[in-house]
């Protein structure tokens, strides 16, 4: 088929960074009016390939054709003006400004030389109405949920009249209802002739929504096949280069005596959790389920001291524990992995060593100086123990894949020797191979006697690794289920109780 038959062709792309070849003769062909899934493990080169398309990176070799014409954008602004838009998994928005200002940033509508907020609001509302997005254009974007902010980014892409739309893990923070809404938007755009590149690790979504699937591994193109001829097992085998026979590792942890007791806990600032009570045992993995807005994250933040609690008590090993801030929580044997890696997890411009040791920095002080040797030793432990793929401990963490960033953050907290780990969406945006490694790590930590609380939007994940599951609804605890009695249907029934 000739190049003119494709909306986009990326042929023979190479891209190297110090110590690693991120792309090796990578290829992708996208037809107009189709959804093309791009799949591969973290580090396979998916994001690098898309950043080359979007003008963030300049490829070392290869060519990019749009509608048969050679194209090389100098940056995201030029790409968007050229009909290519990308909705990143890690949202990059001006949180203190309004929704409509974020939507039209750099191209505000003007009247008589001044910015017209009335016209900006009207244009925003027209796009939202067309896409069925229920968000006030004048709302401060930082006060919206992650899912609402993601919808705003999709609307922004549409506002550029994009011919090519790249969606990177678009459903990682969405409820089932919101996913269905997103799929309706995608179908509408596809029917309008837009070519959509859809990056996701959720196999069932890929098989449901895609027309074609391209698999990458180690920076190379592996295969492109029609979605209707693929199965989950076949995709996994192409992604990882081997059969992954067990999605969830066998449970080796045995819950023991009570470790953490939470009684009638309520946060100080609304909206937050209210009157939550439960026990966490040593060696137990306690899942937390609920719809977006159920205040699962707020529960973890209140326990960890990021958010103040208004009432209730927290006890660890039978003794009252008052985590007034994160530093105090760390001293008390707590650790928390946050949902938003980029916003409040990693120090992107700094190296792996800094990101590994920062939570335990006082441990490396001797006579008023930091021990570089000890920090390097512990960083190497993180890299080796968690199988972090990196050229060096000096590599900037932002240059790692999402899965490897997550492993470094987990390693950071393990260096503090916590008794209680609070994990908020620990496998969000991570491929199936890296997920299996993190599941095994969680189970191993529980087997060592640590108590682990896991918030996840993926019910199969909670059912696969948890011993019990708390279900949150409208900020309250709607129930707690032993894993033997838990099902997706029962979890959803409880999740809707106070919603």
């Amino acid at each position: 088929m000739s190049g003119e038959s494709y909306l986009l062709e990326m042929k023979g792309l190479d891209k190297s960074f110090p110590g690693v070849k991120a792309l090796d003769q990578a290829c992708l062909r996208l037809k107009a009016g189709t959804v093309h899934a791009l799949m591969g493990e973290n580090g396979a080169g998916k994001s690098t390939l898309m950043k080359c398309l979007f003008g963030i990176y300049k490829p070392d070799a290869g060519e990019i054709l749009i509608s048969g014409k050679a194209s090389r954008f100098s940056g995201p602004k030029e790409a968007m003006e050229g009909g290519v838009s990308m909705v990143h998994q890690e949202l990059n928005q001006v949180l203190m400004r309004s929704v409509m200002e974020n939507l039209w940033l750099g191209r505000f509508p003007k009247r008589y030389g001044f910015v017209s907020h009335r016209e900006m609001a009207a244009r925003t509302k027209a796009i939202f109405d067309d896409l069925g997005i229920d968000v006030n254009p004048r709302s401060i974007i930082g006060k919206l949920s992650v899912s609402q902010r993601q919808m705003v980014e999709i609307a922004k892409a549409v506002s550029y009249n994009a011919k090519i739309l790249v969606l990177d893990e678009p459903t990682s923070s969405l409820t089932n209802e919101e996913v269905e809404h997103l799929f309706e938007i995608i179908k509408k755009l596809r029917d309008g002739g837009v070519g959509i590149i859809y990056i996701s690790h959720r196999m069932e979504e890929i098989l449901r929504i895609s027309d074609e699937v391209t698999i990458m591994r180690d920076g190379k193109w592996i295969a492109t096949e029609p979605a209707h001829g693929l199965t989950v097992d076949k995709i996994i085998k192409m992604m990882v280069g081997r059969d992954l026979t067990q999605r969830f590792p066998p449970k080796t942890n045995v819950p023991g005596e009570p470790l953490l007791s939470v009684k009638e806990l309520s946060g100080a600032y609304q909206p937050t959790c209210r009157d939550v009570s439960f026990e966490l045992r040593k060696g137990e993995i306690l899942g937390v389920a609920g719809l977006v807005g159920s205040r699962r994250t707020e529960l973890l933040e209140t326990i960890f001291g990021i958010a103040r609690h208004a009432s209730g008590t927290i006890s660890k090993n039978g003794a009252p524990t008052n985590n007034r801030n994160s530093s105090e929580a760390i001293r008390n044997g707590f650790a928390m992995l946050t949902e938003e890696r980029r916003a409040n997890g990693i120090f992107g411009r700094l190296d792996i060593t800094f990101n590994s040791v920062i939570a335990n920095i006082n441990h490396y002080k001797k006579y008023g100086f930091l021990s570089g040797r000890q920090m390097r030793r512990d960083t190497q432990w993180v890299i080796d123990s968690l199988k972090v793929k990196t050229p060096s401990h000096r590599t900037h963490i932002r240059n790692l894949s999402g899965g490897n960033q997550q492993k470094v953050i987990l390693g950071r907290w393990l260096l503090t020797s916590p008794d209680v780990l609070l994990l908020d969406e620990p496998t969000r945006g991570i491929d199936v191979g890296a997920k299996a490694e993190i599941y095994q790590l969680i189970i191993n930590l529980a087997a060592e006697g640590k108590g682990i609380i896991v918030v996840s939007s993926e019910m199969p994940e909670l059912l696969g690794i948890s011993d019990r599951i708390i279900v949150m609804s409208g900020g309250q605890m709607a129930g707690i289920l032993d894993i033997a009695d838990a099902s997706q249907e029962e979890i959803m029934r409880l999740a809707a109780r106070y919603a």
Side-chain angles (χ1 to χ4, degrees), residues 174-471:
L174 305 187
T175 64
N176 291 337
E177 185 178 340
E178 288 165 337
V179 168
E180 294 302 322
H181 181 203
L182 174 64
F183 286 176
E184 289 175 12
I185 292 174
I186 289 173
K187 185 177 184 301
K188 183 172 186 175
L189 295 173
R190 181 185 64 187
D191 293 347
V194 176
I196 298 167
I197 300 173
Y198 190 93
I199 302 173
S200 177
H201 296 303
R202 296 185 174 181
M203 307 286 179
E204 292 78 8
E205 287 181 5
I206 291 294
L207 295 176
R208 176 183 167 190
I209 198 170
S210 304
D211 300 297
E212 291 185 296
V213 179
T214 287
I215 309 291
M216 292 184 68
R217 186 170 71 241
D218 298 327
K220 300 176 182 178
W221 174 87
I222 299 299
T224 297
E225 298 192 14
H228 63 77
L230 292 172
T231 64
V232 169
D233 289 342
K234 189 173 181 181
I235 292 173
I236 290 174
K237 187 172 183 178
M238 287 192 290
M239 280 174 57
V240 303
R242 64 189 187 279
D243 289 314
L244 198 66
T245 54
Q246 202 155 23
R247 189 172 177 185
F248 300 103
K251 298 290 292 297
T252 57
N253 61 304
V254 179
E257 61 190 42
L259 170 62
L260 182 72
S261 176
V262 174
K263 293 185 178 178
E264 299 179 353
L265 185 68
S266 295
Y269 304 112
Q270 296 298 329
T272 187
C273 57
R274 303 191 306 278
D275 299 321
V276 177
S277 300
F278 65 88
E279 274 192 344
L280 172 69
R281 293 172 284 175
K282 291 181 180 178
E284 181 177 30
I285 302 170
L286 183 63
V288 182
L291 304 174
V292 171
S294 63
R295 310 305 167 201
R296 297 165 300 172
T297 294
E298 286 81 357
L299 173 61
L300 297 196
E301 290 177 342
T302 305
I303 293 171
F304 195 62
I306 296 174
R308 282 182 52 206
H309 71 268
S311 59
T313 60
I314 301 171
S315 300
K316 180 168 160 274
N317 290 322
T321 301
N322 185 17
N323 296 333
R324 289 170 295 187
N325 52 56
S326 56
S327 297
E328 201 165 278
I330 293 168
R331 289 196 297 271
N332 289 332
F334 290 75
M336 181 172 172
L337 188 147
T338 59
E339 177 184 4
E340 294 271 348
R341 273 194 305 269
R342 183 172 177 178
N344 47 31
I346 66 168
F347 298 86
R349 295 180 180 272
L350 298 173
D351 63 18
I352 293 172
T353 296
F354 182 92
N355 277 276
S356 296
V357 304
I358 184 60
N360 204 30
I361 197 69
N362 290 329
H363 177 70
Y364 305 103
K365 290 181 180 178
K366 192 173 184 179
Y367 308 122
F369 296 94
L370 290 172
S371 170
R373 179 182 298 177
Q374 195 173 358
M375 289 193 294
R376 286 191 298 272
R377 186 191 65 205
D378 282 359
T379 301
Q380 196 60 49
W381 177 86
V382 170
I383 292 170
D384 293 342
S385 300
L386 278 66
K387 300 177 183 176
V388 179
K389 293 180 182 177
T390 176
S392 161
H393 65 278
R394 288 294 182 194
T395 301
H396 286 186
I397 194 169
R398 65 180 178 181
N399 292 333
L400 301 185
S401 67
N404 284 302
Q405 289 177 6
Q406 196 78 316
K407 289 179 184 180
V408 172
I409 301 171
L410 273 170
R412 172 199 300 171
W413 289 115
L414 295 182
L415 289 173
T416 69
S417 300
D419 301 313
V420 179
L421 280 91
L422 311 174
L423 307 180
D424 194 356
E425 302 284 2
T427 65
R428 180 186 171 204
I430 292 177
D431 65 75
V432 65
K435 277 186 177 182
E437 291 178 352
I438 288 178
Y439 295 149
Q440 186 64 68
L441 177 64
I442 291 171
I443 291 168
N444 290 347
L445 291 169
E448 294 172 8
K450 299 186 186 299
I452 302 173
I453 302 177
V454 180
V455 167
S456 177
S457 300
E458 296 187 41
M459 282 192 277
E461 179 171 275
L462 290 178
L463 293 167
I465 65 171
S466 303
D467 299 299
R468 292 183 299 152
I469 297 176
I470 290 173
V471 184

